Amino acid sequence: MVMRRGLCAGSLLLIVSSFAGATSWQDDSHYVSLGPRTGYYIVRPDSRLSRQLGLYEAPVIDTADPLRHGYGADALAFRFNRNGVLIAPPAYIVQALPYDFYIRRIGSLTRGRATVDSVEALFGRGHSRAARPDGFLWYYALPVYNPFEEWGGRR
């Protein structure tokens, strides 16, 4: 009886730790500092950092959705004050690997100096806007394609 309990407890611990390991390796959200007022976040959708930054309305579409056949969307998020000045580091909400094209552009923006106009010069008009007490968030949807998800992960 005691041995069964120990075996069950050990099995349960193994199962729980395998799930904990699976989630921790996928959420590699982090901040990349490029200087005192430049840098950006790389954020996984629905990660703890994503929730801390308040990126609830991001137009991310999962490429693993069986109805989309590998097509989805990552997103860029910019937080501006009421005057349209960038007040926080931009965030790149990415499902797989970030594209260097977008990394270079968001890394060139300086907090406190970049404005809505300078972001529009790099990316065009924002796709969606979310109001905040201190200003607003501006999101850009970035179309992505994952060929491995085209048939729902099957070959």
Side-chain angles (χ1 to χ4, degrees):
M1 185 74 158
V2 173
M3 183 137 173
R4 276 192 186 161
R5 286 185 189 161
L7 184 59
C8 287
S11 298
L12 182 62
L13 181 61
L14 182 62
I15 291 168
V16 169
S17 66
S18 68
F19 283 117
T23 58
S24 65
W25 72 268
Q26 290 176 357
D27 184 13
D28 57 350
S29 301
H30 61 283
Y31 178 72
V32 177
S33 177
L34 300 173
R37 296 173 65 149
T38 57
Y40 54 90
Y41 290 101
I42 297 292
V43 182
R44 299 292 173 198
D46 298 325
S47 67
R48 185 174 1 144
L49 183 56
S50 173
R51 291 186 296 276
Q52 287 175 346
L53 296 173
L55 305 175
Y56 307 113
E57 305 93 345
V60 176
I61 300 170
D62 191 359
T63 58
D65 182 343
L67 300 175
R68 297 200 176 266
H69 305 287
Y71 290 92
D74 290 343
L76 297 176
F78 301 92
R79 185 180 300 263
F80 297 102
N81 65 13
R82 290 186 182 116
N83 297 325
V85 177
L86 190 69
I87 58 172
Y92 188 168
I93 306 154
V94 63
Q95 298 173 60
L97 296 174
Y99 289 103
D100 191 48
F101 176 84
Y102 298 113
I103 293 292
R104 289 178 190 257
R105 279 154 185 78
I106 64 175
S108 70
L109 299 170
T110 304
R111 286 186 315 274
R113 291 197 181 129
T115 63
V116 169
D117 293 335
S118 57
V119 172
E120 279 186 338
L122 291 173
F123 302 104
R125 276 259 329 135
H127 289 270
S128 61
R129 180 181 168 135
R132 294 292 186 265
D134 59 346
F136 59 95
L137 269 169
W138 209 339
Y139 292 107
Y140 287 87
L142 310 173
V144 294
Y145 173 67
N146 183 351
F148 297 108
E149 298 291 349
E150 190 166 351
W151 294 286
R154 298 183 307 263
R155 290 193 170 201

